[in-house]
Amino acid sequence: MTTKRIAVIGECMIELSEKENNVSRGFGGDTLNTSVYIARQVPEDKLAVHYVTALGTDVFSDQMLTTWQKEKVKTDLIQQLDDKMPGLYYIETDDAGERKFYYWRNDAAARYWLARDKSEEICQKLAHFDYIYLSGISVAILNPESRQKLISLLKACRSNGGKVIFDNNYRPRLWQSREETQQVYHDVLCCTDIAFLTLDDEDALWGEEPYENVITRTQALGVSEIIIKRGADSCIAATGSNREDVPAVKLAKEKVVDTTAAGDSFSAGYLAVRLQGGNVADAIKRGHLTASTVIQYRGAIIPLEAMPAV
């Protein structure tokens, strides 16, 4: 049996978080979270998970690589740039548990992964992967020239029989304007086979409208499989005229500790089933189970022993 390969493209940053005057250091990033949760739920001999980004040559970057390798996430396509470092963000939590984020990422290494000497060689390899996964953040951090290279890569992968998976993950602060974002998302979705669309993000970007309108708009761009994520509400999946409506896992309020990575882990759970040939309904159920487990623990990456049984 041939092992399939998925490339997950994005950015991971150094995370500093404050709680009761204590500061702890970790790592965080939407696509990194997804890659780890996929790798934890799919046998390595069936699906090899590769993370694609750029890091520095500093101690933080080395620690990231070591941590990801322990999670069976492959790092052979990650560039280490000697003149750049990972971005950094700081989480401040008030007495009511509300979080405020501060970011330092304008010159982060991940912004340059398509702008260095090795990028062409890496893209040639990625063009022959079975799947490429990226998010709105993966695209937002790039300059216009690099975005065009990314679009070309997605087209090349599809022309070689691969599939592109896109999670909208819209963060307004990373974009110049809504109009710019709409155009870029349009271009990416035209190259997409499976789209994860958080409804709140769709409303923020395009204006509030019924989810069926979102599906119609996205299908018109050629996306064949659309998953509408609605937080604690049911998830809607559209494949052609078929619809699946699967309720979320209901948790008691006191069990919800931290919603960080809820959406990222849902996507991972869904893909863990779907990319192994499972049906859409079962994939949604696995997504809900994964996300509902993750939010019962603090931090984006929960302990391995806390993962639900596969």
Side-chain angles (χ1 to χ4, degrees):
M1 181 183 67
T2 302
T3 301
K4 291 190 174 182
R5 299 178 297 169
I6 182 171
V8 182
I9 298 172
E11 176 186 26
C12 186
M13 293 184 289
I14 304 164
E15 175 190 277
L16 300 178
S17 59
E18 178 184 340
K19 185 181 180 185
E20 297 176 352
N21 295 322
N22 294 316
V23 177
S24 60
R25 196 263 298 149
F27 306 120
D30 64 332
T31 52
L32 187 277
N33 301 335
T34 300
S35 67
V36 168
Y37 286 123
I38 293 174
R40 286 183 175 186
Q41 296 182 82
V42 181
E44 195 174 8
D45 62 344
K46 291 187 178 179
L47 182 69
V49 181
H50 295 249
Y51 197 58
V52 180
T53 191
L55 297 172
T57 55
D58 53 279
V59 64
F60 301 111
S61 297
D62 290 341
Q63 289 172 358
M64 286 183 185
L65 291 171
T66 299
T67 300
W68 303 344
Q69 290 160 2
K70 289 180 180 177
E71 290 283 359
K72 298 182 180 179
V73 173
K74 299 186 182 302
T75 59
D76 55 304
L77 299 178
I78 295 176
Q79 299 173 73
Q80 288 192 265
L81 311 178
D82 57 13
D83 60 339
K84 301 295 177 185
M85 288 184 65
L88 179 148
Y89 68 99
Y90 188 95
I91 306 173
E92 182 182 64
T93 308
D94 63 22
D95 294 337
E98 293 297 322
R99 297 181 302 162
K100 187 174 183 180
F101 292 80
Y102 303 87
Y103 290 89
W104 294 265
R105 72 194 307 182
N106 289 343
D107 198 42
R111 291 178 175 267
Y112 300 93
W113 83 268
L114 278 164
R116 293 301 177 93
D117 293 340
K118 290 185 179 180
S119 64
E120 184 175 349
E121 177 187 347
I122 291 172
C123 285
Q124 289 175 355
K125 293 178 180 179
L126 291 175
H128 295 279
F129 267 56
D130 299 283
Y131 309 100
I132 291 179
Y133 177 100
L134 70 161
S135 78
I137 295 174
S138 310
V139 187
I141 64 173
L142 302 176
N143 64 32
E145 182 180 355
S146 292
R147 287 175 187 164
Q148 288 305 310
K149 290 181 181 180
L150 179 60
I151 295 295
S152 296
L153 167 61
L154 302 182
K155 291 178 179 178
C157 180
R158 293 184 89 201
S159 69
N160 290 325
K163 289 189 175 182
V164 173
I165 307 163
F166 177 65
D167 190 313
N168 64 350
N169 221 351
Y170 172 49
R171 297 294 179 266
R173 65 178 174 271
L174 296 178
W175 296 91
Q176 295 293 324
S177 66
R178 286 178 60 192
E179 292 74 21
E180 176 194 46
T181 316
Q182 289 171 354
Q183 182 60 57
V184 173
Y185 275 39
H186 173 278
D187 294 344
V188 172
L189 287 166
C190 284
C191 305
T192 295
D193 298 279
I194 302 174
F196 292 98
L197 305 178
T198 299
L199 192 57
D200 286 345
D201 289 356
E202 286 293 290
D203 290 345
L205 179 58
W206 301 97
E208 190 170 344
E209 58 185 339
Y211 71 79
E212 195 61 46
N213 291 9
V214 174
I215 291 171
T216 299
R217 167 165 40 84
T218 308
Q219 286 181 331
L221 300 178
V223 182
S224 58
E225 189 167 331
I226 301 164
I227 302 94
I228 305 292
K229 296 190 284 187
R230 304 193 298 167
D233 293 328
S234 64
C235 173
I236 311 294
T239 51
S241 60
N242 297 323
R243 299 288 183 272
E244 295 284 354
D245 187 338
V246 181
V249 176
K250 297 297 182 183
L251 294 176
K253 187 176 181 180
E254 61 271 15
K255 286 192 173 183
V256 179
V257 174
D258 185 353
T259 58
T260 302
D264 310 330
S265 59
F266 175 93
S267 299
Y270 183 96
L271 293 172
V273 171
R274 199 74 174 111
L275 300 189
Q276 294 188 85
N279 63 48
V280 170
D282 287 343
I284 296 174
K285 291 175 184 176
R286 168 60 65 169
H288 283 321
L289 177 61
T290 307
S292 66
T293 302
V294 167
I295 64 176
Q296 295 182 61
Y297 295 83
R298 189 166 299 282
I301 305 296
I302 66 174
L304 180 60
E305 60 270 18
M307 291 291 296
V310 177

